[in-house]
Amino acid sequence: MLNARCSLDVADHVIAAGWLPDGLHVAIGDVSGGLTVVERERGVRAFETRAHAHGLTSAASDPRGGTIATCGQDGKVRLWEVPQGRQAQELDAGAPWAERVAWSADGTRLACAAGRAVRIWDRDGHLVREYPKHRATVTDVQWHPHEMLLCSTSYGGVTVLDPEHETPIKTLTWQGSSLSARWSPSGKYIATGEQDSTVHFWIVERGKDLQMSGYPLKVRALAWSHKSRWLATGGGSEVTLWDCTGRGPAGTKPTVLRGHKEAVATLEFRRFDDVLASGGADGRVIVWHPGRSKTQLASARLTQPVSTLAWSPDGRYLLTGGARGEVRVFEAPEA
């Protein structure tokens, strides 16, 4: 069993949960609009605020430390100084509802998806770029792990954006609705989860894609292992892993990890090895090492469906959030 190090509850469904770069604090955003920062060791709240009156949709910690970005149903992006909790900036997202915020890997740029718009600011809140409207609502934005490039998803596929250019530099076309995207750590691939219960595996440089089908549910949960070997996907009660080495997953049989009784809601690989955490609608949190075995390393159960999870920067702790506000920090098992 996973050993709980810290436990608390917030007001509502945990929609965003992550670690500050210091590894000593966690940030939790709930759908009612609350933002809470907690000290890991004692479970003491460093600050708690109503970040968005009409509801919070996304939160992201600045990789440099010191700032959390949030967005919400009020069409605003707000920057918060941590651990003090002072609001430093309020930015207009460009639509009545803002869906996602994301920091670039170096922490110098902040992107937001709102309606059909994508906007990018520098860390001081100055607007760097606003892109022409996408053909449909933007569902996700993800930065390249090493370069100043951004991908966005919507109906019609994926666009690749460069803040130095006014228009997209690449369009990866697909006549369907992409719900989520994950750029591989190598930067060579983009994986997207689809409304039609498929996964797309894009080879970015060539603009080519592979489609993996057969999922019982639409796919939102995606995660890459640290060397881009494994792509883990949800889309049902099983965790499906595709081996992306060599020529990629085309024509191969995936590895299937069974342990959840209901749909897998969230997936996250540890940043320096192939240890994977999964959280499900059954309340189960399971840790795996798929490169070695299909059996579980450890598990725990929340009293409610798991909505999000995140590994600490050093990989020693696993943060989980629940659908009714339950937050737990677990000690990682030996791999």
Side-chain angles (χ1 to χ4, degrees), residues 208-285:
K208 301 294 185 180
D209 76 311
L210 308 172
Q211 180 178 313
M212 287 84 92
S213 59
Y215 294 89
L217 302 171
K218 57 188 176 183
V219 182
R220 293 186 182 273
L222 302 166
W224 286 96
S225 62
H226 74 303
K227 291 186 177 180
S228 305
R229 176 182 179 180
W230 298 105
L231 171 64
T233 62
S237 62
E238 301 171 340
V239 179
T240 304
L241 291 109
W242 299 93
D243 190 338
C244 300
T245 55
R247 296 184 177 181
T252 65
K253 186 176 180 180
T255 297
V256 177
L257 305 178
R258 297 181 175 90
H260 291 282
K261 303 300 182 184
E262 298 181 43
V264 174
T266 179
L267 293 162
E268 192 75 29
F269 273 101
R270 199 155 58 177
R271 63 188 299 177
F272 53 80
D273 60 17
D274 291 342
V275 173
L276 172 69
S278 61
D282 55 3
R284 293 171 183 259
V285 179

Side-chain angles (χ1 to χ4, degrees), residues 156-224:
V158 182
T159 56
V160 179
L161 310 168
D162 182 338
E164 298 299 320
H165 294 79
E166 295 181 353
T167 57
I169 63 171
K170 189 182 290 287
T171 301
L172 307 175
T173 303
W174 159 244
Q175 294 305 311
S177 183
S178 300
L179 303 176
S180 59
R182 293 295 181 271
W183 217 312
S184 70
S186 67
K188 294 181 180 180
Y189 314 117
I190 296 173
T192 59
E194 304 292 326
Q195 179 76 33
D196 66 356
S197 304
T198 64
V199 170
H200 275 249
F201 176 90
W202 294 94
I203 305 168
V204 180
E205 184 177 346
R206 295 166 52 196
K208 301 294 185 180
D209 76 311
L210 308 172
Q211 180 178 313
M212 287 84 92
S213 59
Y215 294 89
L217 302 171
K218 57 188 176 183
V219 182
R220 293 186 182 273
L222 302 166
W224 286 96

